[in-house]
Amino acid sequence: MPRESKRARIQRMHEEYALLVEAFPHPKCALDFTSPLQLLIATVLSAQTTDKRVNTVTPELFSRFPDAASLAAANPQDVEDIIHPLGFYRSKTKHLLGLAAVLRDRFGGEVPDTMDSLVTLPGVGRKTANVVLGNAFGVPGFPVDTHVIRVTGRLRWRGDWNSSSPDPVHIEREICSYFEPSQWTDLSHRLILHGRATCHARKPDCAVCPLHDTCPSSLI
C-alpha cells in the first residue's frame, strides 16, 4: 500500500466520518442520567464493565442517594451492595464516596463544568471528564475509550496507529486537531457505536462495514 500523505489522510478521515454520520445519525450517550451528577456517577461506574449493566444498578443508587451530600454520608456497605454486579465494587464505592465528599465540600454539591476541576475528583480522569463535559454541559469533549482507540487505530486516523501502548491523551489531542470542537462529542459517540456494531475487537465485520472501501485494515 503506497504511503498516504497527511493531507490525503485527513481528507479520507472526513470522508469516512461522513459515512459514520449517515450510519449513526442521532448518536447519544448510552448511560441513563438526568443530571450532571448522575452522569458523573454512571461514568465512574462504567469502568471495566458495560453501559448496559451500569444502567441496571443506577436507578436504585440514584433513588437511595439523590445528591452529593447523601452519597458522601452513605454507608460504604450499602453502596457496595447496590453496585456489586458491576465488579470492582469496593474501589468504585471508594471513588464515589470520595468524589461526593469533594463535591459537597468544595463545589457546593454541584458538578463542575471544567476539565481542570473535574479531574481533581477521585476516580475521574480525562475520559470521564470529557463524557460529562460533552453530554451534561454541551462543552466540546472527546472521550477516548477502548473502542475509540481500536477504531482510530484500524482506520489509521492517527500517527501511532500501530503502537502497542497508545496514549489516550495523545489520541485525544491528535484526533481533535482534525475536527471542529462542535464535532468532538458526537465523533466519539459514533466511533464507539461503530466499534460496538461492526469493528469488533476480536473479529471486525468488514463485509458489512460502511468504511470497508477506504479502511486500510479492511479484510475485504
Side-chain angles (χ1 to χ4, degrees):
M1 181 176 178
R3 183 176 179 84
E4 185 178 42
S5 70
K6 184 175 181 179
R7 174 181 285 187
R9 173 163 61 96
I10 294 173
Q11 181 177 342
R12 175 174 60 82
M13 287 169 61
H14 283 271
E15 291 171 352
E16 290 172 340
Y17 183 54
L19 294 174
L20 291 180
V21 172
E22 291 182 12
F24 307 103
H26 306 293
K28 70 182 187 70
C29 182
L31 294 167
D32 294 337
F33 69 98
T34 60
S35 70
L37 177 62
Q38 289 187 359
L39 178 58
L40 176 61
I41 291 170
T43 307
V44 170
L45 291 177
S46 70
Q48 295 177 292
T49 190
T50 65
D51 293 349
K52 185 176 181 179
R53 184 169 291 177
V54 172
N55 291 338
T56 66
V57 306
T58 48
E60 182 181 358
L61 185 67
F62 297 156
S63 176
R64 290 276 300 277
F65 310 106
D67 51 39
S70 61
L71 182 57
N75 182 324
Q77 186 63 55
D78 292 339
V79 176
E80 289 180 7
D81 289 345
I82 296 171
I83 69 171
H84 188 277
L86 304 182
F88 303 96
Y89 57 93
R90 289 194 178 94
S91 61
K92 289 180 180 181
T93 294
K94 183 177 180 180
H95 287 324
L96 292 187
L97 270 59
L99 71 84
V102 174
L103 291 176
R104 178 195 62 194
D105 298 340
R106 288 182 47 203
F107 297 101
E110 299 297 322
V111 176
D113 60 0
T114 66
M115 173 66 73
D116 289 346
S117 293
L118 283 167
V119 295
T120 66
L121 302 173
V124 177
R126 287 191 65 88
K127 185 188 81 169
T128 295
N130 272 318
V131 170
V132 174
L133 289 173
N135 295 281
F137 295 114
V139 176
F142 185 73
V144 177
D145 73 350
T146 55
H147 296 292
V148 171
I149 293 172
R150 180 174 70 256
V151 174
T152 57
R154 285 178 176 165
L155 290 171
R156 301 187 189 179
W157 278 16
R158 48 187 172 84
D160 65 343
W161 61 269
N162 61 345
S163 172
S164 59
S165 55
D167 178 4
V169 175
H170 178 79
I171 293 172
E172 176 189 344
R173 290 173 179 165
E174 181 176 6
I175 299 300
C176 285
S177 72
Y178 303 137
F179 293 87
E180 294 296 322
S182 61
Q183 298 176 294
W184 293 348
T185 299
D186 283 347
L187 171 62
S188 176
H189 281 321
R190 289 181 171 115
L191 289 170
I192 291 169
L193 289 168
H194 183 59
R196 287 175 177 163
T198 305
C199 198
H200 309 297
R202 292 186 178 180
K203 186 178 180 182
D205 197 354
C206 297
V208 299
C209 178
L211 311 182
H212 68 76
D213 286 344
T214 56
C215 175
S217 302
S218 176
L219 302 178
I220 301 299

